[in-house]
Amino acid sequence: MNPLSRLDIYINEYTNTEKLIYAWIMENPGDLARYPIETIAEKTKTSKAAIIRFSKKIGYSGFAEFKFELSRYLVSGERDQNNDDEQMNTIASITSIYEGFIKQINNTIDLNKVKELVVAMLDTKRIKIIGNNRTGLSAMQLRYRLSKIGVDAEAVTDMVLVQVLENILKKGDLVVLFSTYGNYTPYADFAKTVTENGADVYLITVNEKNKISKYCKQTFVLPCVSKATTHSFLDDQAILFIFIEIILAEIGYKLKD
């Protein structure tokens, strides 16, 4: 069922506030992909909380999922009609969603914890950056960006080598572990072993309910764009890359001190 049809199913259950939101969306469905929730709240003369409640009432996990599904539906419809503006609408839809999730980093990550990681990275004897498959790209990116500012680190993306490191890493060493959902058993075993050996493990993930955090000194849980919708095709690596830039910026500030 398309999102606009879903709106009509609940029309008899809407409060007066929700009726304002419903009417605006039906008149301006395309604007939902372009505007942030703050702007929509202003235009509907309601609030962010009301829009989030409205999104949940019609069956979505929140505004992000509703916005994504409506945006994708509109883009799909325009493509079916061979609309010349389909590329621009695709750009508006995808960039708008990523923009919203990137902004959430400000609310989900404690900058003081990032600074603690930066201090540890600059004071440690040895840095290993672990990633596998797609998160291997994040590991390589962090290693590359660190080398640009003179910080030595090694990216390890081969699980055979990761297992070898279990017996090498010790007190004074630092591990940055990228794991999108944090439930990869070999990672959990690795983190447990190297922590017991005295090394510090810092986990970067998008899953708060992962099984690796209990073995880590610090865990950074980033917004999960891939779970914004039950039919998502978006990838979380872009969010991880943004967080890498935050780390690099803080290292840069620290090196200037």
Side-chain angles (χ1 to χ4, degrees):
M1 178 181 296
N2 74 65
L4 292 179
S5 296
R6 181 177 291 198
L7 291 176
D8 290 330
I9 293 177
Y10 302 89
I11 194 168
N12 294 325
E13 302 177 23
Y14 292 147
T15 64
N16 290 334
T17 297
E18 290 167 346
K19 288 177 181 178
L20 293 175
I21 299 171
Y22 166 81
W24 183 86
I25 292 174
M26 296 302 290
E27 291 179 7
N28 310 279
D31 288 342
L32 196 77
R34 298 192 296 113
Y35 293 143
I37 190 172
E38 293 83 0
T39 301
I40 296 173
E42 180 181 346
K43 289 184 175 295
T44 57
K45 295 180 173 58
T46 60
S47 65
K48 291 170 56 177
I51 294 171
I52 293 171
R53 286 195 299 271
F54 178 85
S55 302
K56 291 182 177 180
K57 173 172 279 190
I58 61 177
Y60 296 100
S61 62
F63 175 70
E65 181 177 10
F66 173 43
K67 180 176 182 177
F68 180 83
E69 289 293 347
L70 181 55
S71 299
R72 195 166 65 156
Y73 168 72
L74 294 174
V75 170
S76 175
E78 288 168 355
R79 284 179 173 171
D80 291 341
Q81 299 169 23
N82 295 318
N83 191 304
D84 291 336
D85 293 330
E86 67 177 48
Q87 183 177 5
M88 293 187 64
N89 284 291
T90 301
I91 292 172
S93 175
I94 299 301
T95 57
S96 176
I97 294 168
Y98 272 112
E99 177 187 18
F101 277 84
I102 289 171
K103 287 182 177 179
Q104 288 181 34
I105 296 175
N106 189 50
N107 299 321
T108 58
I109 299 297
D110 184 342
L111 182 58
N112 290 324
K113 298 299 183 182
V114 177
K115 291 180 178 180
E116 290 177 11
L117 169 60
V118 166
V119 170
M121 292 176 73
L122 294 177
D123 289 345
T124 194
K125 298 177 181 177
R126 180 165 47 189
I127 301 174
K128 301 293 182 181
I129 309 170
I130 309 297
N132 188 37
N133 293 328
R134 287 179 302 142
T135 54
L137 297 175
S138 296
M140 294 296 295
Q141 175 70 1
L142 178 55
R143 183 263 178 191
Y144 173 77
R145 298 291 284 132
L146 287 173
S147 69
K148 286 290 186 178
I149 56 175
V151 177
D152 184 42
E154 179 186 10
V156 183
T157 60
D158 186 323
M159 285 309 300
V160 173
L161 295 179
V162 170
Q163 293 175 352
V164 171
L165 288 177
E166 289 185 2
N167 299 317
I168 296 176
L169 297 175
K170 56 187 177 181
K171 185 174 182 180
D173 295 331
L174 183 147
V175 175
V176 176
L177 177 58
F178 286 95
S179 181
T180 307
Y181 300 116
N183 290 322
Y184 186 40
T185 299
Y187 274 174
D189 295 340
F190 167 80
K192 181 176 184 295
T193 299
V194 298
T195 298
E196 290 174 348
N197 291 341
D200 292 328
V201 180
Y202 292 81
L203 173 65
I204 300 174
T205 183
V206 299
N207 181 17
E208 185 176 7
K209 298 180 179 180
N210 66 82
K211 62 183 182 182
I212 303 177
S213 287
K214 59 185 176 182
Y215 305 119
C216 301
K217 185 169 185 178
Q218 185 61 249
T219 297
F220 298 96
V221 181
L222 298 170
C224 182
V225 69
S226 64
K227 296 297 185 182
T229 167
T230 55
H231 303 289
S232 177
F233 52 82
L234 299 183
D235 193 84
D236 294 301
Q237 298 309 306
I239 305 298
L240 299 184
F241 272 43
I242 292 295
F243 186 59
I244 287 172
E245 294 307 310
I246 293 172
I247 294 173
L248 265 290
E250 287 300 320
I251 291 177
Y253 298 146
K254 189 67 177 177
L255 292 175
K256 289 180 181 179
D257 292 343

